[in-house]
Amino acid sequence: MTRIDAKFADLRAQGRKAFVAYVMAGDPDYDKSREIILGLPGAGVDVIELGMPFTDPMADGETIQLAGQRALEGGQTLAKTLQIARDLRSTDNTTPIVMMGYYNPIYSRGVDRFLAEAKEAGIDGLIVVDLPPEEDDELCIPAQKMALNFIRLATPTTDDARLPKVLTNTSGFVYYVSITGITGAANAEATNVGPEVARIKAQTDLPIIVGFGIKTPEAAEAIASVADGAVVGSAIVAEIAAGKSVAEVLAFVKSLADGAHRA
Amino acid sequence: MPEDLINSFMTGPDENGRFGDFGGRFVSETLMPLILSLEAEYEHAKTDESFWAEMDFLWKHYVGRPSPLYHAERLTEHLGGAKVYMKRDELNHTGAHKINNVLGQIILARRMGKTRIIAETGAGQHGVATATVCAKFGLKCVVYMGAHDVERQAPNVFRMRLLGAEVIPVTSGRGTLKDAMNDALRDWVTNVRDTFYCIGTVAGPHPYPAMVRDFQAIIGKETKEQMMEAEGRLPDTIIAAIGGGSNAMGLFFPFLDDKTVNIIGVEAGGKGVNEKMEHCASLTGGRPGVLHGNRTYLLQDDDGQILEGFSISAGLDYPGIGPEHSWLHEIGRAKYVSITDVEALEAFQLCCALEGIIPALEPSHALAHVMKIAPTLPSDHIICMNMCGRGDKDIFTVAKHLGFDMKI
Ligand SMILES: Cc1ncc(COP(=O)(O)O)c(C=O)c1O
């Protein structure tokens, strides 16, 4: 059982929905992002999505693109991102950390080396946007062998016929992308999302977490009420981009977490 | 695999879209179902006579194919060695090879019921070709073009607008061709249901590298027939410039199993292939990685971050290369070299002066390599280079480099 499985078992026992927060490692700089990330569990975050910056984030909107650019300009590397995870683990051994990003930086480092380092740093799962089930041999299968969860995105274009393929090697939870589009774009609508979650639940027992297009505590509550939890990314990243202090960013995160937890 | 153990070089890609270890389908889940349906549509079209009949008709009457195979006599004489031929794809409607592929993709898009076409463009030639065919068929067309390229290829921006396309200057990343491709992919993910992404080169996720190659292979097929007619035999060496690699793949593919034919791809060497990365030579100066849906050689740093290329030619300014070229490079069936901006500019001028042909900067790179090797070869050695585009779009860039004031 990974920390992710344990966390969801715990939430389920308490009848609570999960709040998942995405933050880009190294944005706006290493020290500040480290401080924000280490403060996330205290702000009510159940699962941390640790963004790995990439020069060509083809599934991300402007907010997260720019966050990645700031991080890279500040000298963020995969090694430094892993270091933030390690630092968090020295104060918190229960909050799951899922690394989210694109394949090339991992491939460049070497899959085996990366997985060993991620495991050692206390990473629990991976979301790699440009690795669909068709490419499972690349990273998904090796990650499962190391007992790291490989979390897959399901989308509105993943029809019932394709869903089993998407679910086959997925573990931890399923990330349902609420819109066809990029991060930070359209608003997710609970009325559309509810039936989609039910459609996926018919084929899996894994928790279904919904992300993309959730920007306010109210939206987090509405979406979490029709799923097992909600993810917010761009809205948090936008606060960081606006130059808010660590305390202000964490207060905003807490308001989102409270929203999701009201559901 | 050693070259002599392979029966044919023309069977790729495999069912997973791989050429050896290269290629694949590295895209987000939202796009995966579309890519699979495109693959099914293309597999069907490939053996459908009515599809090819439509292509042949338009190639002939709209594009002006077959393009001539031309013996460059004065250039041959000037170089004093090998006999030089040019495959004149710059004479196509819209001025480059790009339209060969666009026609195929747009016919497929129409068969799939898509009403909105998006494209990325660097030099603007693929954008112009796409805008052109969309105008012909009454389809909505949106072209993503790096803000930097919008500036250096202004005439093509105006052409696209005249043809009714919406040109979106891309400022994300560093505003070049790779960023235009990122934004086109973002548009596609957002508008999956009505939109067809018309990729301009042999890159992207499977089936694009194979499909674009098959549409461009008309270049090599014609060259083979025309060379047999002119010389009664195959050429000894074929040469093409490489951005993403579509004009090159188009010329090379029909010759892959003709073992006597030397195949040379010419990458953009920019200011020289050195550690400063002021070039676009992915094979000579890069290493394998994953970008834009496929595994291939890429310009990247030690942490797997993609680097910007540098070239005088906007059409070659791409940090990757089609996956089939990466494979041909690794198995040694084709050889890849690089040519600098300065060398390409010299070839550009020589071609104007000796042949009365103003070449695009992209094929000027191929020509520059011809200039290097032809003098070292005997007069019965036949070289054919792909003159894949005309230079109208480049005269402003060239004027600037030659210190000529264009203001009238
Ligand atoms: C005339 C010409 N040649 C070559 C290229 C490079 O593309 P490819 O390598 O796919 O042929 C371009 C791209 O814009 C072009 O306009």
Side-chain angles (χ1 to χ4, degrees), chain B residues 49 96 111 172 179 199 217 254 276 291 351 369 396 402:
Chain B
E49 277 176 30
R111 290 182 160 215
S172 70
D179 303 300
I199 296 184
K276 277 162 71 196
L291 179 71
C351 188
H369 192 68
F396 300 93
L402 300 182

Side-chain angles (χ1 to χ4, degrees), chain B residues 29-49:
Chain B
E29 174 59 23
T30 313
L31 292 180
M32 217 34 238
L34 270 99
I35 282 170
L36 293 173
S37 75
L38 173 61
E39 185 185 340
E41 190 74 30
Y42 178 57
E43 281 306 314
H44 173 73
K46 239 164 60 174
T47 52
D48 176 356
E49 277 176 30

Side-chain angles (χ1 to χ4, degrees), chain A residues 53-58 60 65 69 77-78 104 107-108 129-130 132 135 138 153 155 157-158 162 166 180-181, chain B residues 18 24-30 32-33 172-173 178 182 186 189-190 287 289-290 295 300 302-306:
Chain A
F54 182 48
T55 39
D56 295 82
M58 63 184 183
D60 284 301
Q65 288 171 34
Q69 281 180 26
T77 58
L78 193 46
N104 198 53
Y107 179 73
S108 166
V129 180
D130 50 355
E135 302 292 350
E138 294 282 332
L153 307 181
T155 71
T157 58
T158 313
R162 180 168 168 80
V166 169
T180 58
Chain B
R18 298 292 182 98
R25 286 179 285 222
F26 296 88
V27 296
S28 62
E29 174 59 23
T30 313
M32 217 34 238
S172 70
K178 95 177 162 65
N182 288 331
R186 290 177 186 124
V189 175
T190 309
R287 61 192 169 87
V290 172
R295 174 162 32 233
Q300 54 185 320
D302 290 342
D303 217 38
Q305 303 296 341
I306 309 304

Side-chain angles (χ1 to χ4, degrees), chain A:
Chain A
M1 188 144 108
T2 65
R3 287 186 197 88
I4 297 175
D5 301 329
K7 173 64 78 174
F8 280 106
D10 191 33
L11 287 168
R12 199 171 297 190
Q14 293 177 47
R16 263 159 76 95
K17 298 300 173 77
F19 179 65
V20 181
Y22 172 97
V23 174
M24 177 69 79
D27 171 41
D29 56 55
Y30 180 82
D31 291 336
K32 190 168 175 182
S33 82
R34 180 182 174 279
E35 215 180 314
I36 291 168
I37 290 158
L38 266 57
L40 293 175
V45 172
D46 298 303
V47 177
I48 296 171
E49 272 182 20
L50 188 59
M52 298 180 274
F54 182 48
T55 39
D56 295 82
M58 63 184 183
D60 284 301
E62 196 178 14
T63 305
I64 291 179
Q65 288 171 34
L66 292 175
Q69 281 180 26
R70 286 190 295 273
L72 291 173
E73 275 157 24
Q76 190 67 16
T77 58
L78 193 46
K80 287 184 177 179
T81 302
L82 289 165
Q83 188 54 45
I84 294 177
R86 240 176 248 123
D87 290 354
L88 178 71
R89 278 285 164 261
S90 68
T91 60
D92 178 314
N93 201 29
T94 57
T95 308
I97 309 174
V98 175
M99 292 181 90
M100 181 164 183
Y102 297 82
Y103 185 40
N104 198 53
I106 295 172
Y107 179 73
S108 166
R109 197 162 190 82
V111 164
D112 292 340
R113 177 180 171 196
F114 167 76
L115 289 173
E117 289 174 343
K119 191 76 192 169
E120 172 270 320
I123 299 296
D124 305 289
L126 304 173
I127 302 177
V128 183
V129 180
D130 50 355
L131 286 178
E134 280 73 6
E135 302 292 350
D136 268 358
D137 291 341
E138 294 282 332
L139 182 66
C140 174
I141 304 296
Q144 306 274 31
K145 284 196 183 130
M146 298 277 291
L148 284 163
N149 289 133
F150 197 85
I151 293 130
R152 190 102 59 198
L153 307 181
T155 71
T157 58
T158 313
D159 63 17
D160 289 340
R162 180 168 168 80
L163 205 45
K165 188 161 182 117
V166 169
L167 294 172
T168 299
N169 291 318
T170 301
S171 60
F173 59 91
V174 176
Y175 188 136
Y176 180 68
V177 176
S178 60
I179 53 167
T180 58
I182 52 179
T183 55
N187 288 320
E189 299 293 343
T191 46
N192 299 336
V193 168
E196 288 290 286
V197 171
R199 180 168 77 85
I200 300 168
K201 279 213 175 277
Q203 294 201 31
T204 181
D205 293 329
L206 290 170
I208 315 293
I209 306 301
V210 177
F212 281 45
I214 304 171
K215 294 164 187 165
T216 62
E218 295 71 32
E221 180 179 353
I223 295 290
S225 69
V226 298
D228 296 307
V231 190
V232 178
S234 296
I236 300 170
V237 171
E239 294 288 300
I240 297 170
K244 299 283 174 66
S245 69
V246 173
E248 285 169 320
V249 172
L250 292 175
F252 178 64
V253 171
K254 180 154 192 322
S255 72
L256 294 164
D258 289 346
H261 290 149
R262 273 195 298 275

